[in-house]
Amino acid sequence: MIHSPYIRKPASVQSVMLAVLLALLPGVTAYVMQVAAVVVVNLLIATVTALVAEALILTLRKRPIAPALSDLSAVVTAWLVVLCFPPILPWWVTVLGVLIAIVAVKHLYGGLGQNPFNPAMVAYCAMIVAFPSLMSQWPPAGQIDFQTQLDLVLGGARQLDAITGATALDAMRTGLRTSGASVESVLQQSGTFGAVGGRGWEWLALGYLAGGLFMLARRIITWHMPVAFIATLAVVSGIFWLAEPAHFAPPLFHLASGGAMLAAFFIVTDPVSGATTPRGKLIFAAGIAVIAYLIRVFGAFPEGIAFAVLLMNLCVPLIDMKTQPAVFGHRGSRP
């Protein structure tokens, strides 16, 4: 039940984006403490890049600069790009990814509120296709000191075998493709795993969950997309797990590993590139969860959320058209 007040003052873009940044802080804090503290440096590099790129493009378009920079939308995009990228990437890859998100995806389609695709997900897909080796270099959680992390970001020598390891999703996928391997044996053989998901990454999932609940409480987002995404991912992975538990990881593993919780509350809920009707939001988020799971388990990439989001972005016009609520006084949905 919704309590009063029933009429609220419209929220500004700045207030919404500030709330999103605040909601990301628990996840960022867990990232710093559990995985790689250098993510703070990456956030700074990405933020400066996004603001400079935004200002330059607006200057070329002869649009006001100050309102766009102060609304914090570019900062949110920059943070999401960083949180999707490996934390020990060279600085220039982060810069290039942010430029793609801001310049190519946001402004070439008309600016804020016009982009049909999620900017952070386009940046991720572009970088993993262009630089697959670099985008696969994830550090073992909490096992590399800050100075080494910083050197790697700023251009130090990259001794891959010494500084990187497989993510939980990649380790599980690779392990299960070994002849005779089972989920239980893979979990026992690798130090990549924690209690239910990737070691260290479980805390990130909890941080993003806390931030998502904060946004729900503030009514920054509605329940439709997070619930549909989490429930569908749990159900689909649960069906495969129940059918063959030796060869498919349980639902909790998929929810606590990779970018599932970040996606559920901060990626899938993008108000610009996602579906807008209540039923459409459920279909949109559920479709992302199904495609992401199929890519995780059967595809060439260990994480499929970015590709799933972009594929469902293509379907948004059709989803919204077919799920328009009925006009008052008429039966059925709008034609």
Side-chain angles (χ1 to χ4, degrees):
M1 179 174 293
I2 301 176
H3 58 77
S4 62
Y6 302 108
I7 300 177
R8 295 175 177 266
K9 182 180 179 180
S12 65
V13 174
Q14 184 186 59
S15 65
V16 171
M17 295 301 164
L18 179 59
V20 174
L21 291 174
L22 291 175
L24 283 169
L25 288 181
V28 171
T29 302
Y31 210 130
V32 170
M33 297 178 64
Q34 296 292 326
V35 180
V38 78
V39 71
V40 175
V41 177
N42 293 333
L43 290 173
L44 178 60
I45 292 172
T47 299
V48 172
T49 301
L51 293 176
V52 171
E54 186 101 339
L56 290 176
I57 292 296
L58 290 170
T59 300
L60 293 175
R61 297 179 63 195
K62 298 180 180 179
R63 299 290 180 86
I65 297 176
L69 296 185
S70 62
D71 68 16
L72 301 177
S73 61
V75 178
V76 170
T77 298
W79 281 35
L80 291 176
V81 168
V82 168
L83 295 175
C84 292
F85 282 15
I88 55 173
L89 277 178
W91 65 270
W92 55 268
V93 179
T94 299
V95 169
L96 184 56
V98 172
L99 289 177
I100 289 174
I102 297 296
V103 177
V105 185
K106 180 180 178 182
H107 280 287
L108 289 186
Y109 283 99
L112 181 64
Q114 304 298 318
N115 50 284
F117 299 101
N118 187 294
M121 296 297 95
V122 173
Y124 178 89
C125 290
M127 292 299 97
I128 201 170
V129 170
F131 309 107
S133 177
L134 288 175
M135 290 292 288
S136 300
Q137 295 175 16
W138 293 89
Q143 297 185 25
I144 302 178
D145 63 87
F146 178 77
Q147 187 58 54
T148 302
Q149 297 171 21
L150 187 61
D151 290 342
L152 291 169
V153 169
L154 298 181
R158 308 183 74 83
Q159 300 176 359
L160 302 186
D161 292 338
I163 63 173
T164 63
T167 63
L169 291 172
D170 196 15
M172 179 62 71
R173 184 177 65 110
T174 303
L176 289 176
R177 292 182 179 180
T178 302
S179 178
S182 65
V183 171
E184 184 177 357
S185 64
V186 173
L187 291 174
Q188 292 174 349
Q189 292 173 2
S190 175
T192 305
F193 305 102
V196 294
R199 187 163 63 87
W201 292 92
E202 300 154 325
W203 292 102
L204 271 71
L206 289 175
Y208 294 135
L209 174 60
L213 295 177
F214 168 77
M215 290 198 296
L216 285 170
R218 291 285 303 273
R219 300 186 186 179
I220 302 299
I221 59 175
T222 64
W223 62 268
H224 302 78
M225 289 186 181
V227 170
F229 178 85
I230 293 172
T232 303
L233 183 58
V235 169
V236 173
S237 59
I239 291 173
F240 281 89
W241 175 62
L242 290 173
E244 201 169 354
H247 295 94
F248 294 99
L252 196 56
F253 174 83
H254 283 280
L255 294 176
S257 302
M261 287 299 164
L262 177 65
F265 294 102
F266 298 96
I267 301 297
V268 176
T269 55
D270 178 25
V272 177
S273 60
T276 58
T277 65
R279 281 194 300 148
K281 291 178 179 180
L282 296 175
I283 296 170
F284 176 76
I288 292 174
V290 171
I291 297 171
Y293 178 79
L294 294 177
I295 294 175
R296 280 183 173 189
V297 177
F298 303 106
F301 296 95
E303 180 59 277
I305 289 175
F307 298 99
V309 169
L310 297 184
L311 287 172
M312 290 305 295
N313 283 158
L314 291 170
C315 302
V316 165
L318 178 62
I319 293 173
D320 279 347
M321 182 180 68
K322 295 298 184 180
T323 59
Q324 287 292 326
V327 178
F328 182 75
H330 295 265
R331 292 183 177 180
S333 59
R334 297 176 186 176

